[in-house]
Amino acid sequence: MASQEEKQAQPFVDIFNEDEAEKSFLLSKPTCFIVLGKPGSGKKTLARKLAQMWKCIFIEALEVIQMNIHEKTEYGLKCQELLFKGQSISEELVTEMILKKTESPEVAHFGYVLSGFPSLSEEYMTVSQQLEKIKNLKLKPDFLINIKCSDYDLCQRIAGQRQHPASGQVYQRNQWDPNVIEKHKKKKDHYEEEHEEEEEEEEQEEREETAEEPLMTSEFLHQLVQRPEDILENAEERVGKYKDIMLHPLEDLMVEQDCQYLFELDGNQQPDDLLVVNKNYICSYCSFNKQDELWRVLSSYKLIAPRYQWRRSRWGQACPVALKKGDIVMGNPDLAVSFLGKMYILSSPEALKTFMLNPRPYLLPPMPLPPCKVIVFGSPLSGRTTICSLIAHKYKGKV
């Protein structure tokens, strides 16, 4: 009764506290996805598009290998050494890199879209063990997306793939087969005839583009090759292996998942048609040149809503990353970013990179906490160490 009376006594109190809402978001778990499906069903393509739409980190075996090699990490140097020797990268090393990536600072902030894990290879861990790893991740997947496709359609699609050796680009049958291209062209011509009201210039451009497609394909047609894994017999074997060792454990995983967070998609559709997920939140990062013009420019830049204006944060011009370390360092306006409708100014490119990977640790309470530095003098055995320890304990400092 008392709480109800208090609410009635203060009818105009704002129940939407901005600080509490911001704190709630910073403590919240980022959205994470895992894309499942048979080999060749388009998991990687959909996962990449999904990561771009939701601003998540795309995690896939080849992606993490290339990333580690490019950044010259410990794992990357091991991969390079194996590749220089002509050896394949072990399943154990790939799995370690994937799991390490799921624990990275940027994933802790942006979330992830995981594809190709669990894998069919049981060289290092069985499918059940891989699924246990997924269940025990620090950031568990929120959404399970299963791409369903009949065995016949999938095998025919895989068998129709061709690769260009020089670029590594893979082409579907409707991109290289002259018969399929001709059928596609006839459909377009028929469509153009039915829509004669359209402007002549647009029709001419469309016909020129249509005419160029077969010519471009014909230049590379004799260079395209079929990969061993795309041969029909090998594709059928991979699909059969998937059904034997992976299908039932994945079905158990999907049964445990809340049905409102489980999506089953038709693998015969185009990847763009499968993307029906709305964006939840976007972190927009903006750069500016002059300190004096920063807030003036910001007031009308990439507005969230009409008449909305970006605002200063409680950090002002101080660098949040430096402040977390106990130093008050004024930020550089060239290194300004926006997050949750407020501006933060970083002091160095390293601080900017760290902040953009995961700003949460630098914004959660009790930050911003201005550092207080105390020095204690005294003669020997006067209790300097004791008083230092007490002060540090009281104000959460370091001795």
Side-chain angles (χ1 to χ4, degrees):
M1 286 296 293
S3 61
Q4 291 180 357
E5 289 175 0
E6 287 177 4
K7 289 181 180 179
Q8 291 175 359
Q10 299 177 342
F12 299 109
V13 174
D14 183 7
I15 61 172
F16 300 104
N17 185 289
E18 182 181 355
D19 293 338
E20 289 298 323
E22 186 173 317
K23 179 181 176 182
S24 176
F25 172 79
L26 293 171
L27 289 170
S28 67
K29 174 184 175 296
T31 306
C32 301
F33 302 83
I34 180 169
V35 182
L36 309 169
K38 297 175 184 175
S41 60
K43 300 188 296 292
K44 185 176 178 179
T45 304
L46 178 62
R48 190 184 296 276
K49 289 179 176 292
L50 199 62
Q52 291 173 352
M53 172 176 277
W54 280 70
K55 310 300 179 187
C56 294
I57 306 299
F58 175 53
I59 302 179
E60 189 264 342
L62 182 59
E63 192 80 11
V64 296
I65 291 172
Q66 292 175 340
M67 182 272 295
N68 278 278
I69 291 176
H70 176 71
E71 296 183 357
K72 297 182 179 180
T73 63
E74 182 182 350
Y75 290 116
L77 295 175
K78 288 181 181 178
C79 292
Q80 271 190 328
E81 185 180 351
L82 291 170
L83 293 174
F84 287 151
K85 292 179 180 179
Q87 302 175 5
S88 60
I89 300 173
S90 67
E91 193 70 26
E92 179 180 0
L93 188 57
V94 174
T95 303
E96 286 180 4
M97 285 189 287
I98 289 175
L99 296 177
K100 183 75 173 178
K101 185 66 176 177
T102 61
E103 298 175 356
S104 61
E106 60 268 31
V107 167
H109 176 54
F110 291 104
Y112 62 78
V113 181
L114 180 61
S115 173
F117 190 82
S119 68
L120 277 174
S121 173
E122 295 189 309
E123 174 189 334
Y124 173 53
M125 287 193 297
T126 64
V127 172
S128 299
Q129 290 173 332
Q130 293 179 64
L131 290 175
E132 282 300 315
K133 286 288 185 182
I134 292 174
K135 293 177 183 178
N136 294 325
L137 286 175
K138 186 177 180 180
L139 294 176
K140 296 179 174 59
D142 300 291
F143 293 93
L144 265 60
I145 301 174
N146 183 32
I147 303 177
K148 302 180 73 173
C149 189
S150 68
D151 295 351
Y152 176 79
D153 292 340
L154 185 59
C155 291
Q156 291 298 317
R157 184 201 303 172
I158 295 173
Q161 293 180 156
R162 298 292 185 272
Q163 186 180 44
H164 188 255
S167 64
Q169 179 68 34
V170 177
Y171 296 90
Q172 301 295 329
R173 187 181 294 278
N174 60 1
Q175 295 175 294
W176 65 265
D177 191 332
N179 296 327
V180 179
I181 292 173
E182 187 65 27
K183 288 181 182 178
H184 184 61
K185 181 182 176 182
K186 287 180 179 178
K187 286 182 180 179
K188 277 192 174 182
D189 291 338
H190 180 65
Y191 178 82
E192 288 173 359
E193 289 174 5
E194 291 180 348
H195 296 77
E196 292 178 353
E197 305 144 355
E198 295 180 1
E199 297 180 2
E200 294 181 2
E201 293 180 2
E202 291 180 2
E203 289 181 358
Q204 187 176 353
E205 287 176 4
E206 286 177 7
R207 283 171 184 168
E208 286 175 359
E209 289 174 4
T210 309
E212 286 174 3
E213 286 176 5
L215 291 174
M216 276 187 72
T217 309
S218 63
E219 292 175 5
F220 299 98
L221 189 59
H222 67 284
Q223 300 178 9
L224 299 180
V225 296
Q226 187 177 30
R227 298 175 297 180
E229 61 265 29
D230 292 340
I231 297 172
L232 184 59
E233 292 78 10
N234 294 339
E236 291 174 344
E237 183 181 347
R238 287 166 60 203
V239 172
K241 185 178 180 182
Y242 173 90
K243 294 170 70 175
D244 290 339
I245 69 172
M246 188 175 287
L247 184 58
H248 294 302
L250 286 182
E251 286 177 343
D252 294 338
L253 177 68
M254 288 186 281
V255 167
E256 296 174 6
Q257 180 75 5
D258 189 339
C259 60
Q260 63 179 332
Y261 302 118
L262 172 64
F263 297 96
E264 294 193 319
L265 308 178
D266 182 5
N268 288 322
Q269 295 184 13
Q270 293 297 320
D272 290 335
D273 297 331
L274 299 179
L275 285 176
V276 292
V277 186
N278 292 323
K279 297 179 183 179
N280 188 14
Y281 62 89
I282 299 175
C283 300
S284 300
Y285 297 99
C286 319
S287 296
F288 299 91
N289 295 321
K290 298 180 180 179
Q291 180 71 49
D292 295 339
E293 299 178 2
L294 178 62
W295 306 110
R296 180 181 61 79
V297 174
L298 191 60
S299 64
S300 60
Y301 188 81
K302 288 188 178 180
L303 300 182
I304 294 177
R307 302 184 69 179
Y308 178 90
Q309 288 192 345
W310 296 101
R311 294 165 296 161
R312 296 172 184 264
S313 68
R314 290 192 294 271
W315 282 252
Q317 296 179 13
C319 174
V321 176
L323 197 57
K324 183 74 173 179
K325 298 176 182 178
D327 300 319
I328 299 179
V329 181
M330 292 298 105
N332 182 348
D334 292 333
L335 306 175
V337 300
S338 62
F339 180 65
L340 295 180
K342 296 178 182 176
M343 285 304 298
Y344 301 91
I345 307 175
L346 287 306
S347 58
S348 67
E350 294 76 18
L352 176 66
K353 182 179 179 181
T354 305
F355 186 83
M356 289 180 68
L357 286 177
N358 186 1
R360 299 175 188 233
Y362 308 102
L363 305 184
L364 282 168
M367 300 300 293
L369 186 65
C372 178
K373 298 179 180 178
V374 179
I375 183 168
V376 179
F377 294 94
S379 58
L381 303 177
S382 62
R384 290 174 301 176
T385 304
T386 304
I387 194 67
C388 281
S389 300
L390 291 172
I391 293 174
H393 178 72
K394 173 68 176 178
Y395 295 102
K396 299 178 181 178
K398 294 182 180 178
V399 177

